[in-house]
């Protein structure tokens, strides 16, 4: 995979420990950008400081319109969605998605659109299903879909949802994930066993994703200029979540 790879990581409950353990084993000269969303709501976040103490790759809270650089970890700040647009990070106080702001799906959708096959999406421990739709979009656009093995996660529901609804490339224990990411970023096929999803079929181009049998309009990495809601694309055009 090209060195312009962007790795988008989503985590919720149990995520601080999981993220700390993951970044601790990344090498200092890591040739990729790492974008992290942790479900923290509007609460103060010390995650960049925790990650800086854990490993050699520098971590910081993202700032609006910041240029994305390799060898850097960017963390979504409290109460803001973080997305990618034209090679820069955007911070948005648009409506919550999946009961969260910051949420994982907006980041994953924008990374899928911006980086296509150079995107890697990772779902770690957490509750509910945030990130499943976004990870499916990364996969649909040619990127790599990875989840922490639910049996290995402190809270298996979120990676379990992604495993049930996305045609995964890898499903691995957290302890083996840093090595896998290094191999993928350096252009080598990961040595971990690929875990294709056997309970769902990859979506055809243009199909809307489904979760638990419900069909969703396809989300876009855009917001409505009038109401600020996240935009969805359907067969009848684009509309905001606030219109549903």
């Amino acid at each position: 995979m090209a060195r312009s790879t962007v790795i988008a990581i989503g985590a919720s409950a149990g995520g601080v420990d999981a993220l700390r353990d993951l970044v601790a084993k990344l090498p200092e000269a890591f040739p990729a950008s790492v974008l992290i969303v942790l479900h923290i709501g509007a609460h103060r976040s010390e995650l960049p400081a925790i990650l800086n103490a854990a490993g050699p790759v520098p971590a910081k809270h993202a700032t609006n319109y910041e240029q994305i650089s390799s060898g850097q970890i960017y963390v979504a700040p409290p109460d803001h969605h973080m997305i990618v647009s034209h090679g820069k990070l955007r911070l948005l106080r648009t409506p919550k998605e999946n009961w969260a702001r910051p949420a994982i799906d907006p980041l994953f959708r924008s990374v899928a659109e911006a980086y296509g096959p150079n995107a890697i999406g990772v779902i770690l421990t957490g509750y509910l299903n945030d990130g499943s739709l976004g990870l499916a979009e990364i996969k649909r656009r040619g990127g790599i879909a990875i989840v922490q093995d639910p049996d290995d996660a402190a809270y298996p529901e979120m990676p379990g949802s992604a495993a049930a609804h996305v045609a995964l490339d890898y499903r691995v224990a957290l302890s083996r994930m840093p090595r896998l990411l290094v191999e993928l970023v350096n252009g080598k096929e990961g040595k971990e066993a690929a875990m294709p999803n056997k309970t769902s079929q990859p979506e055809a181009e243009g199909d809307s994703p489904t979760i638990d049998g419900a069909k969703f309009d396809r989300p876009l990495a855009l917001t409505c200029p009038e109401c600020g809601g996240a935009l969805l694309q359907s067969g009848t055009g684009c509309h905001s979540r606030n219109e549903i």
Side-chain angles (χ1 to χ4, degrees):
M1 182 165 283
R3 288 183 176 269
S4 58
T5 299
V6 166
I7 301 172
I9 302 176
S12 186
V16 173
D17 289 341
L19 289 164
R20 180 175 55 208
D21 291 348
L22 192 160
V23 304
K25 296 180 181 178
L26 293 179
E28 183 173 2
F30 189 55
S33 307
V34 181
L35 312 181
I36 294 175
V37 167
L38 175 69
H39 286 167
I40 54 171
H43 301 289
R44 180 178 176 180
S45 170
E46 299 294 339
L47 184 59
I50 292 170
L51 300 183
N52 280 323
V57 183
K60 59 180 292 187
H61 277 129
T63 58
N64 205 18
Y65 291 104
E66 182 172 7
Q67 193 77 32
I68 300 172
S69 300
S70 294
Q72 177 72 52
I73 297 171
Y74 300 93
V75 177
D79 206 29
H80 286 77
H81 296 307
M82 179 172 71
I83 68 168
V84 174
S85 178
H86 302 292
K88 297 181 180 180
L89 295 170
R90 292 296 317 279
L91 304 179
L92 308 173
R93 289 202 74 252
T94 47
K96 293 180 179 180
E97 294 194 31
N98 304 309
W99 301 279
R101 188 176 59 226
I104 300 165
D105 273 335
L107 173 64
F108 279 24
R109 292 196 305 266
S110 68
V111 167
E113 182 175 342
Y115 291 93
N118 285 337
I120 298 175
V122 180
I123 298 288
L124 301 178
T125 173
Y127 287 123
L128 302 178
N129 61 11
D130 190 20
S132 291
L133 286 173
L135 191 64
E137 186 67 6
I138 287 175
K139 180 68 177 179
R140 189 182 75 88
R141 290 178 179 261
I144 294 176
I146 303 172
V147 300
Q148 180 182 5
D149 189 332
D151 293 336
D152 177 65
Y155 299 87
E157 191 172 359
M158 199 163 74
S161 172
H165 299 100
V166 181
L168 299 176
D169 294 290
Y170 301 95
R171 170 177 170 164
V172 297
L174 184 66
S175 62
R176 301 165 74 179
M177 197 173 292
R179 179 179 177 182
L180 171 63
L181 293 176
V182 170
E183 290 175 349
L184 292 171
V185 169
N186 286 330
K188 302 174 183 177
E189 185 174 352
K191 295 180 181 179
E192 305 292 342
M195 296 290 293
N197 181 3
K198 296 181 175 59
T199 62
S200 66
Q201 297 296 323
E203 295 155 14
E205 183 74 22
D207 284 354
S208 294
T210 60
I211 285 187
D212 295 336
K215 192 168 185 178
F216 289 77
D217 292 330
R218 185 167 298 284
L220 301 173
L222 301 169
T223 55
C224 173
E226 182 174 351
C227 71
L231 288 176
L232 307 174
Q233 184 176 28
S234 68
T236 58
C238 298
H239 56 85
S240 167
R241 287 184 187 275
N242 291 351
E243 299 172 11
I244 299 175

